[in-house]
Amino acid sequence: MSGVSSARSTTVRLTVAQALVRFLAAQYTERDGARQRLIAATWGIFGHGNVAGIGQALVEDPALMPFHQGRNEQAMVHAAVGYARQSRRLSAHAVTTSIGPGATNLVTGAALATVNHLPVLLLPGDTFAGRPADPVLQQLEVPYAGDVSVNDCLRPVSKYFDRVGRPEALIPAALAAMRVLADPVETGAVTLALPQDVQAEAYDWPEEFFAERIWRVRRPRPDAAELDAAVRAIRAAERPLIVVGGGVGYSGAEDALRTFAERTGMPVATTQAGKGALPYDHPCETGGIGHTGSSTANALAATSDLILGVGTRYTDFTTASGTLFPEGVRFVNLNIAGFDAHKLGALPLVADAREGLTALTKALGDHRQDMVRWTSSKRDWQEQVDAAYAVPDEDARPTQAQVLGALDTLVDGSDILINAAGSLPGDLHKLWRTRSPDQYHVEYGYSCMGYEIPAALGVLLAAPDRPVWALVGDGTYLMNPTEIVTAVQERLPLRLIVLQNHGYASIGGLSEAVGAERYGTDYRHRDAFGGFTGPPLPVDLGANAASLGMRVLRPRTVRDLREALADARTATVPTCVYVETETADTVSGPPPAQAWWDVPVAETSTRPSAVKAREEYDRHVTARRRHL
């Protein structure tokens, strides 16, 4: 952070809420000489606990802080996260809520932000600090602790938490909050709980508190000894593989990765967060890794003698880190966070992704691998993708894969796809042909149903001139459609694709695989024995979207779908493409899972499906290993 003048100055009398808004408006980040506001806007739903504090402060001087009116507190955090990710963590949004349910609704969004290392500032109202009214409306009374409120639920999902119990306490709390938000290692959800009486209290603030401050986003370079160890390990490897995570995108290290891969000839596999770091047709790009990865990348992973992880956390589902990599493989982990750099018994290379890759490229000199060993496998995989996208009958109802194929033929590098949960992340990770570094926006750290629509609004605010698509299944849509109203209110041209398959397709498939027989995963009536039978429920999500203000297109066939997607791409108003999909049973669907995912199965059961699933589980679990 750059310093500000320490000269004695006059004071200005403002309420705590007014001072906080003025302070936030003067905070900036800077990286590589580019400067932007740290808190670019505030989302809010007002109730008692923030309406007379933050609400009044925002209307006091609306030019200081852009404001967005949300409909659901969790969704507002998702929108802020979408904005932060599109901004590469250099700019963020704040979210203000009332006390009680408004505050507790923040918890899921906060967890998502922290899991994904994405900055968002949470400003929930709190109970009275002075306790003149106790208990106040919506207050949780805790008999054993008078200083606890529901906002304490946010402590474990926040990277920094403070309760501003007195006006003067705002100064250190606000500065600490900005420090964490701008720190590429520590960033995540930051919570400043604001008692409602303190928000409205006036105080004489030093003018220095409102001076512009620049928080420089550091790019740490690798330690010389760690770099030397990493170089020696890479030189000794005969079959190395690069595994790329989201840290490459946050660092803006795509060019450095391309240079490193081209100079060394090393193949690149991508996690969900790392997909797009190289375009799909780059010679070194081998596709996704792990349970939803490509056969090319997973075959390389299973036979590699060294894994160079760049900006990845090695979550087990995404990388199959406990079963895919062979016994005796060595790991070198380039990561800005020491916690992640040391995973899997790796040689750590703690550094910014761009700086670390640049240093490795220089240190390796003319060291180069043979690129021939995966080129034919990559061609075979692309043929499988083509088969999944293929449409034998243009007048038939499309499968989910064919919907993705139709969109694939339409978009270019300017389009951005957003998804988070259900069966779509797996299909997208396998099939989608990413054309630009930020086109593929799949939140799979927390895989939160209901993320897509509000996150798309945040992305649209960060990239207003680009086509932004939110892809959701029916289950996800039912979780959180409310921000459609916000899109209509703010005239944001959200492009929403709703895939109606009448149930939880992803978890239904998993349920069948583990012997739970798809119980409770279809949208059907209950029978007398507790089962689910009959035709799908007569639910029309397109009508629901229309009732919330969206323009809705209803393609029935693949031919209709192509026309509807083209129409939506050029739309200037929020537009929904609502399509009922065919199951993949009758046509070629996505390739099956390429790596095993450890989901425990009932050890004893009277049902044959569970017994069979347990036998399969016991067969796979023998491959689990610890990398030490």
Side-chain angles (χ1 to χ4, degrees):
M1 186 202 77
S2 67
V4 296
S5 172
S6 60
R8 181 176 296 277
S9 68
T10 58
T11 59
V12 55
R13 191 163 183 81
L14 299 168
T15 69
V16 168
Q18 292 164 356
L20 177 58
V21 170
R22 184 177 292 193
F23 169 84
L24 293 178
Q27 308 304 303
Y28 293 84
T29 63
E30 183 178 278
R31 188 176 72 179
D32 303 331
R35 184 172 116 161
Q36 47 276 309
R37 281 217 4 198
L38 176 50
I39 304 299
T42 294
W43 290 82
I45 296 176
F46 294 114
H48 83 88
N50 70 338
V51 66
I54 294 292
Q56 190 282 327
L58 289 169
V59 76
E60 181 85 8
D61 191 351
L64 274 178
M65 179 67 65
F67 175 75
H68 304 292
Q69 180 183 358
R71 269 73 196 175
N72 174 280
E73 291 87 359
Q74 181 187 134
M76 292 194 298
V77 185
H78 293 336
V81 166
Y83 176 87
R85 175 166 170 170
Q86 186 62 30
S87 302
R88 299 196 184 222
R89 303 195 299 198
L90 299 174
S91 185
H93 283 171
V95 177
T96 179
T97 72
S98 62
I99 72 170
T104 52
N105 280 351
L106 295 173
V107 173
T108 296
L112 182 148
T114 294
V115 164
N116 287 285
H117 301 295
L118 287 163
V120 58
L121 176 62
L122 307 180
L123 304 174
D126 212 328
T127 54
F128 284 90
R131 304 184 192 176
D134 187 34
V136 71
L137 179 63
Q138 299 180 329
Q139 179 177 338
L140 172 70
E141 292 186 273
V142 181
Y144 61 83
D147 62 344
V148 170
S149 79
V150 296
N151 284 328
D152 290 279
C153 295
L154 289 160
R155 287 181 183 271
V157 293
S158 297
K159 297 295 288 187
Y160 178 80
F161 179 99
D162 203 349
R163 179 175 280 112
V164 182
R166 291 181 56 85
E168 59 268 33
L170 177 64
I171 294 176
L175 291 170
M178 298 304 104
R179 173 187 59 79
V180 174
L181 288 171
D183 188 323
V185 176
E186 292 299 320
T187 196
V190 168
T191 300
L192 295 182
L194 303 172
Q196 53 187 300
D197 53 343
V198 176
Q199 286 183 57
E201 189 172 344
Y203 183 75
D204 294 323
W205 304 92
E207 286 189 340
E208 290 90 347
F209 185 51
F210 307 117
E212 286 189 3
R213 292 174 185 264
I214 298 175
W215 303 83
R216 292 195 169 87
V217 181
R218 61 183 67 91
R219 287 191 180 276
R221 293 179 172 85
D223 173 80
E226 289 186 350
L227 178 63
D228 181 63
V231 168
R232 283 188 278 110
I234 294 171
R235 285 188 177 277
E238 296 180 357
R239 300 177 305 281
L241 172 68
I242 305 169
V243 175
V244 169
V248 169
Y250 297 147
S251 170
E254 292 88 357
D255 288 344
L257 173 66
R258 181 184 295 105
T259 299
F260 179 81
E262 291 172 354
R263 294 270 184 89
T264 63
M266 289 174 62
V268 175
T270 59
T271 69
Q272 287 278 14
K275 190 174 173 77
L278 292 180
Y280 79 96
D281 55 356
H282 189 281
C284 292
E285 208 275 349
T286 65
I289 194 170
H291 186 68
T292 57
S294 74
S295 57
T296 306
N298 284 336
L300 288 167
T303 57
S304 289
D305 58 356
L306 181 133
I307 303 296
L308 172 59
V310 184
T312 178
R313 298 186 295 123
Y314 290 105
T315 57
D316 185 65
F317 183 95
T318 299
T319 61
S321 53
T323 54
L324 177 60
F325 304 125
E327 197 78 44
V329 67
R330 297 192 72 185
F331 291 85
V332 174
N333 290 342
L334 166 57
N335 203 294
I336 198 168
F339 175 78
D340 292 315
H342 283 83
K343 287 180 176 176
L344 301 176
L347 291 173
L349 187 60
V350 180
D352 170 77
R354 191 190 74 179
E355 296 301 313
L357 286 168
T358 300
L360 281 172
T361 302
K362 181 178 179 180
L364 284 165
D366 59 358
H367 177 76
R368 186 168 178 81
Q369 296 286 325
D370 182 4
M371 295 174 59
V372 176
R373 63 189 174 103
W374 71 84
T375 52
S376 62
S377 174
K378 182 175 178 177
R379 283 196 301 269
D380 292 343
W381 179 257
Q382 287 304 317
E383 289 174 1
Q384 294 183 60
V385 173
D386 290 338
Y389 281 170
V391 180
D393 183 0
E394 289 278 333
D395 294 316
R397 190 164 65 176
T399 66
Q400 181 165 286
Q402 290 169 347
V403 173
L404 298 182
L407 190 60
D408 178 80
T409 62
L410 177 69
V411 303
D412 60 31
S414 66
D415 293 73
I416 302 171
L417 275 65
I418 299 172
N419 184 243
S423 58
L424 275 165
D427 288 358
L428 286 164
H429 198 208
K430 292 175 186 176
L431 303 176
W432 188 257
R433 292 163 170 163
T434 310
R435 295 157 173 82
S436 60
D438 61 352
Q439 179 176 79
Y440 188 86
H441 182 135
V442 174
E443 186 285 300
Y444 218 60
Y446 210 49
S447 186
C448 185
M449 295 176 72
Y451 171 82
E452 294 89 345
I453 294 173
L457 304 191
V459 173
L460 279 163
L461 292 171
D465 299 324
R466 297 176 64 179
V468 177
W469 303 83
L471 279 62
V472 303
D474 45 41
T476 291
Y477 180 90
L478 287 168
M479 284 277 184
N480 197 6
T482 55
E483 299 314 306
I484 287 174
V485 178
T486 305
V488 173
Q489 180 183 38
E490 303 231 357
R491 298 181 177 89
L492 296 172
L494 168 68
R495 294 149 182 94
L496 173 63
I497 300 177
V498 178
L499 303 174
Q500 172 62 279
N501 56 20
H502 301 286
Y504 298 116
S506 174
I507 208 66
L510 178 61
S511 173
E512 187 172 35
V514 299
E517 303 174 30
R518 292 185 177 265
Y519 184 78
T521 62
D522 290 335
Y523 297 155
R524 302 177 187 275
H525 292 288
R526 297 291 296 270
D527 62 24
F529 304 99
F532 298 83
T533 61
L537 299 176
V539 175
D540 188 341
L541 302 182
N544 179 264
S547 75
L548 297 176
M550 287 200 94
R551 174 174 172 252
V552 178
L553 308 175
R554 293 175 173 270
R556 303 292 183 185
T557 67
V558 176
R559 192 186 312 278
D560 297 340
L561 174 66
R562 297 188 196 282
E563 295 175 0
L565 292 174
D567 186 335
R569 189 169 187 271
T570 59
T572 58
V573 297
T575 301
C576 171
V577 178
Y578 179 63
V579 54
E580 293 212 26
T581 57
E582 184 62 81
T583 64
D585 297 336
T586 57
V587 294
S588 177
Q594 303 296 311
W596 185 62
W597 179 28
D598 191 342
V599 179
V601 177
E603 194 167 358
T604 62
S605 176
T606 59
R607 302 184 73 87
S609 60
V611 172
K612 182 180 178 181
R614 181 66 195 197
E615 292 173 352
E616 185 73 4
Y617 178 82
D618 288 338
R619 183 176 70 83
H620 280 290
V621 79
T622 59
R624 188 195 293 131
R625 58 186 64 90
R626 299 283 185 184
H627 296 287
L628 302 172

